[in-house]
Amino acid sequence: MTRPRPLRVGLSARLMHNPPAELGFRGKSLQYLEQTVADWIMSQGALVFMVPTLESSAEVRRAAVHVSDYVREIDALVLQGGADLSPSSYGEAPLRPEWAGDRVRDLYEIELLWECVIQGRPVLGVCRGAQLINVAFGGTLYQDIATQVADAILHVDRAVYDLLAHEISIEPGSELARLYPTTVGARVTSIHHQCVNRLGNGLVVEARSPTDGVIEAIRYTGAGDVMGVQWHPEFHPPGESHLLDSGPLLYDFLRRAEGRRH
């Protein structure tokens, strides 16, 4: 009997435009993935393929390879975390130089996201990925939670990185509530200083931080299968009792990918 083809999940690339000299890539740009998110997806038997950018200045001609060609070969897409979005992507100027973000990556991921919507591929955004979804649908971000959100709790602590966690409140009647029917509140990892401000067109809130109201999960209600979570489910180990179980979120995402398999 022929074994069914494993699901193929595309993973958007992180970009490093100016690698440290000690890495030995002088004058080059790097595209890479964070191993934990790849391991999380592969834990259920899916294959992970990092989708590289296709910049206009690159040696690969757009006429030869197009984003639609990549999307045609995958069954779903995960937008992984990483650098800030550029405020210019949602019509603002950076309030501080260090918040200028990565406009190149924004443009690449927005094009990739919309191509997935067009071709009917499920999309899951993680941390930056959730913010990217909001901006792609016309929303905006708070450039810095600590200085722009009143009475904000701590959402990022570089000293402890993925050990920082806080409570979320799941919206009744939401898709998250369906995935976690016995869970009203839960703890999730928190590694972000930016977050959703004005909600994008066609998006609904799936979860919030109950203390300061920061939006922690969103979903698209239009003709597409798009969801974003502000936390890092790949940093929630199986059986970790004090963090929200990442299993239901992943199982459902892969189930939907299976249902739309081409």
PDB file of all heavy atoms in Angstrom, residues 176-192:
ATOM      1  N   LEU A 176     -11.180  29.567  19.229  1.00  0.00           N
ATOM      2  CA  LEU A 176     -10.349  29.094  20.343  1.00  0.00           C
ATOM      3  C   LEU A 176     -11.202  28.443  21.422  1.00  0.00           C
ATOM      4  O   LEU A 176     -10.804  27.440  22.021  1.00  0.00           O
ATOM      5  CB  LEU A 176      -9.544  30.249  20.942  1.00  0.00           C
ATOM      6  CG  LEU A 176      -8.207  30.592  20.295  1.00  0.00           C
ATOM      7  CD1 LEU A 176      -7.568  31.762  21.020  1.00  0.00           C
ATOM      8  CD2 LEU A 176      -7.265  29.396  20.272  1.00  0.00           C
ATOM      9  N   ALA A 177     -12.388  29.008  21.665  1.00  0.00           N
ATOM     10  CA  ALA A 177     -13.284  28.419  22.656  1.00  0.00           C
ATOM     11  C   ALA A 177     -13.731  27.031  22.206  1.00  0.00           C
ATOM     12  O   ALA A 177     -13.912  26.121  23.038  1.00  0.00           O
ATOM     13  CB  ALA A 177     -14.495  29.316  22.871  1.00  0.00           C
ATOM     14  N   ARG A 178     -13.885  26.840  20.901  1.00  0.00           N
ATOM     15  CA  ARG A 178     -14.231  25.508  20.384  1.00  0.00           C
ATOM     16  C   ARG A 178     -13.079  24.528  20.589  1.00  0.00           C
ATOM     17  O   ARG A 178     -13.301  23.357  20.916  1.00  0.00           O
ATOM     18  CB  ARG A 178     -14.585  25.609  18.898  1.00  0.00           C
ATOM     19  CG  ARG A 178     -14.953  24.263  18.258  1.00  0.00           C
ATOM     20  CD  ARG A 178     -15.223  24.428  16.771  1.00  0.00           C
ATOM     21  NE  ARG A 178     -14.044  24.832  16.025  1.00  0.00           N
ATOM     22  CZ  ARG A 178     -13.085  24.001  15.634  1.00  0.00           C
ATOM     23  NH1 ARG A 178     -13.148  22.709  15.940  1.00  0.00           N
ATOM     24  NH2 ARG A 178     -12.052  24.446  14.947  1.00  0.00           N
ATOM     25  N   LEU A 179     -11.848  25.003  20.397  1.00  0.00           N
ATOM     26  CA  LEU A 179     -10.683  24.131  20.551  1.00  0.00           C
ATOM     27  C   LEU A 179     -10.402  23.818  22.013  1.00  0.00           C
ATOM     28  O   LEU A 179      -9.840  22.764  22.331  1.00  0.00           O
ATOM     29  CB  LEU A 179      -9.447  24.785  19.923  1.00  0.00           C
ATOM     30  CG  LEU A 179      -9.472  25.011  18.408  1.00  0.00           C
ATOM     31  CD1 LEU A 179      -8.178  25.667  17.954  1.00  0.00           C
ATOM     32  CD2 LEU A 179      -9.700  23.707  17.678  1.00  0.00           C
ATOM     33  N   TYR A 180     -10.761  24.763  22.902  1.00  0.00           N
ATOM     34  CA  TYR A 180     -10.504  24.598  24.333  1.00  0.00           C
ATOM     35  C   TYR A 180     -11.827  24.778  25.097  1.00  0.00           C
ATOM     36  O   TYR A 180     -12.013  25.776  25.800  1.00  0.00           O
ATOM     37  CB  TYR A 180      -9.463  25.626  24.793  1.00  0.00           C
ATOM     38  CG  TYR A 180      -8.120  25.483  24.115  1.00  0.00           C
ATOM     39  CD1 TYR A 180      -7.813  26.213  22.964  1.00  0.00           C
ATOM     40  CD2 TYR A 180      -7.154  24.615  24.619  1.00  0.00           C
ATOM     41  CE1 TYR A 180      -6.574  26.075  22.341  1.00  0.00           C
ATOM     42  CE2 TYR A 180      -5.915  24.476  24.005  1.00  0.00           C
ATOM     43  CZ  TYR A 180      -5.639  25.214  22.862  1.00  0.00           C
ATOM     44  OH  TYR A 180      -4.412  25.082  22.240  1.00  0.00           O
ATOM     45  N   PRO A 181     -12.742  23.827  24.941  1.00  0.00           N
ATOM     46  CA  PRO A 181     -14.099  24.008  25.485  1.00  0.00           C
ATOM     47  C   PRO A 181     -14.173  24.099  26.999  1.00  0.00           C
ATOM     48  O   PRO A 181     -15.129  24.658  27.531  1.00  0.00           O
ATOM     49  CB  PRO A 181     -14.840  22.770  24.968  1.00  0.00           C
ATOM     50  CG  PRO A 181     -13.769  21.756  24.712  1.00  0.00           C
ATOM     51  CD  PRO A 181     -12.596  22.541  24.236  1.00  0.00           C
ATOM     52  N   THR A 182     -13.193  23.575  27.688  1.00  0.00           N
ATOM     53  CA  THR A 182     -13.229  23.626  29.150  1.00  0.00           C
ATOM     54  C   THR A 182     -12.298  24.696  29.708  1.00  0.00           C
ATOM     55  O   THR A 182     -12.134  24.801  30.920  1.00  0.00           O
ATOM     56  CB  THR A 182     -12.834  22.260  29.747  1.00  0.00           C
ATOM     57  OG1 THR A 182     -11.492  21.937  29.356  1.00  0.00           O
ATOM     58  CG2 THR A 182     -13.778  21.162  29.254  1.00  0.00           C
ATOM     59  N   THR A 183     -11.716  25.493  28.818  1.00  0.00           N
ATOM     60  CA  THR A 183     -10.751  26.515  29.235  1.00  0.00           C
ATOM     61  C   THR A 183     -11.323  27.910  29.014  1.00  0.00           C
ATOM     62  O   THR A 183     -11.699  28.260  27.897  1.00  0.00           O
ATOM     63  CB  THR A 183      -9.438  26.371  28.437  1.00  0.00           C
ATOM     64  OG1 THR A 183      -8.908  25.062  28.636  1.00  0.00           O
ATOM     65  CG2 THR A 183      -8.428  27.409  28.881  1.00  0.00           C
ATOM     66  N   VAL A 184     -11.394  28.686  30.065  1.00  0.00           N
ATOM     67  CA  VAL A 184     -11.818  30.082  29.955  1.00  0.00           C
ATOM     68  C   VAL A 184     -10.586  30.989  29.981  1.00  0.00           C
ATOM     69  O   VAL A 184     -10.426  31.875  29.156  1.00  0.00           O
ATOM     70  CB  VAL A 184     -12.784  30.465  31.094  1.00  0.00           C
ATOM     71  CG1 VAL A 184     -13.140  31.949  31.002  1.00  0.00           C
ATOM     72  CG2 VAL A 184     -14.038  29.609  31.032  1.00  0.00           C
ATOM     73  N   GLY A 185      -9.723  30.747  30.931  1.00  0.00           N
ATOM     74  CA  GLY A 185      -8.468  31.476  31.028  1.00  0.00           C
ATOM     75  C   GLY A 185      -7.302  30.513  31.058  1.00  0.00           C
ATOM     76  O   GLY A 185      -7.446  29.354  31.469  1.00  0.00           O
ATOM     77  N   ALA A 186      -6.155  30.958  30.584  1.00  0.00           N
ATOM     78  CA  ALA A 186      -4.970  30.103  30.547  1.00  0.00           C
ATOM     79  C   ALA A 186      -3.739  30.985  30.528  1.00  0.00           C
ATOM     80  O   ALA A 186      -3.817  32.182  30.248  1.00  0.00           O
ATOM     81  CB  ALA A 186      -4.999  29.185  29.330  1.00  0.00           C
ATOM     82  N   ARG A 187      -2.584  30.396  30.793  1.00  0.00           N
ATOM     83  CA  ARG A 187      -1.328  31.129  30.730  1.00  0.00           C
ATOM     84  C   ARG A 187      -0.604  30.785  29.428  1.00  0.00           C
ATOM     85  O   ARG A 187      -0.609  29.635  28.980  1.00  0.00           O
ATOM     86  CB  ARG A 187      -0.442  30.781  31.932  1.00  0.00           C
ATOM     87  CG  ARG A 187      -0.984  31.345  33.244  1.00  0.00           C
ATOM     88  CD  ARG A 187      -0.061  31.044  34.412  1.00  0.00           C
ATOM     89  NE  ARG A 187       1.215  31.749  34.323  1.00  0.00           N
ATOM     90  CZ  ARG A 187       1.378  33.045  34.625  1.00  0.00           C
ATOM     91  NH1 ARG A 187       0.358  33.775  35.010  1.00  0.00           N
ATOM     92  NH2 ARG A 187       2.571  33.598  34.546  1.00  0.00           N
ATOM     93  N   VAL A 188       0.010  31.820  28.837  1.00  0.00           N
ATOM     94  CA  VAL A 188       0.734  31.646  27.578  1.00  0.00           C
ATOM     95  C   VAL A 188       2.061  32.395  27.663  1.00  0.00           C
ATOM     96  O   VAL A 188       2.232  33.323  28.459  1.00  0.00           O
ATOM     97  CB  VAL A 188      -0.076  32.180  26.372  1.00  0.00           C
ATOM     98  CG1 VAL A 188      -1.376  31.396  26.196  1.00  0.00           C
ATOM     99  CG2 VAL A 188      -0.366  33.671  26.519  1.00  0.00           C
ATOM    100  N   THR A 189       3.001  32.004  26.814  1.00  0.00           N
ATOM    101  CA  THR A 189       4.281  32.703  26.728  1.00  0.00           C
ATOM    102  C   THR A 189       4.075  34.122  26.191  1.00  0.00           C
ATOM    103  O   THR A 189       3.141  34.369  25.430  1.00  0.00           O
ATOM    104  CB  THR A 189       5.244  31.967  25.791  1.00  0.00           C
ATOM    105  OG1 THR A 189       4.571  31.706  24.552  1.00  0.00           O
ATOM    106  CG2 THR A 189       5.733  30.675  26.391  1.00  0.00           C
ATOM    107  N   SER A 190       4.950  35.029  26.560  1.00  0.00           N
ATOM    108  CA  SER A 190       4.813  36.418  26.124  1.00  0.00           C
ATOM    109  C   SER A 190       6.187  36.983  25.802  1.00  0.00           C
ATOM    110  O   SER A 190       7.016  37.167  26.694  1.00  0.00           O
ATOM    111  CB  SER A 190       4.149  37.246  27.230  1.00  0.00           C
ATOM    112  OG  SER A 190       3.834  38.546  26.774  1.00  0.00           O
ATOM    113  N   ILE A 191       6.430  37.230  24.499  1.00  0.00           N
ATOM    114  CA  ILE A 191       7.736  37.736  24.063  1.00  0.00           C
ATOM    115  C   ILE A 191       7.503  38.824  23.007  1.00  0.00           C
ATOM    116  O   ILE A 191       7.949  38.707  21.877  1.00  0.00           O
ATOM    117  CB  ILE A 191       8.620  36.610  23.468  1.00  0.00           C
ATOM    118  CG1 ILE A 191       8.546  35.338  24.301  1.00  0.00           C
ATOM    119  CG2 ILE A 191      10.076  37.068  23.355  1.00  0.00           C
ATOM    120  CD1 ILE A 191       9.235  34.155  23.664  1.00  0.00           C
ATOM    121  N   HIS A 192       6.756  39.863  23.355  1.00  0.00           N
ATOM    122  CA  HIS A 192       6.462  40.885  22.353  1.00  0.00           C
ATOM    123  C   HIS A 192       6.290  42.246  23.015  1.00  0.00           C
ATOM    124  O   HIS A 192       5.725  42.353  24.103  1.00  0.00           O
ATOM    125  CB  HIS A 192       5.183  40.522  21.580  1.00  0.00           C
ATOM    126  CG  HIS A 192       3.950  40.419  22.433  1.00  0.00           C
ATOM    127  ND1 HIS A 192       2.962  41.383  22.436  1.00  0.00           N
ATOM    128  CD2 HIS A 192       3.537  39.473  23.318  1.00  0.00           C
ATOM    129  CE1 HIS A 192       1.999  41.031  23.283  1.00  0.00           C
ATOM    130  NE2 HIS A 192       2.325  39.880  23.830  1.00  0.00           N
TER     131      HIS A 192
END
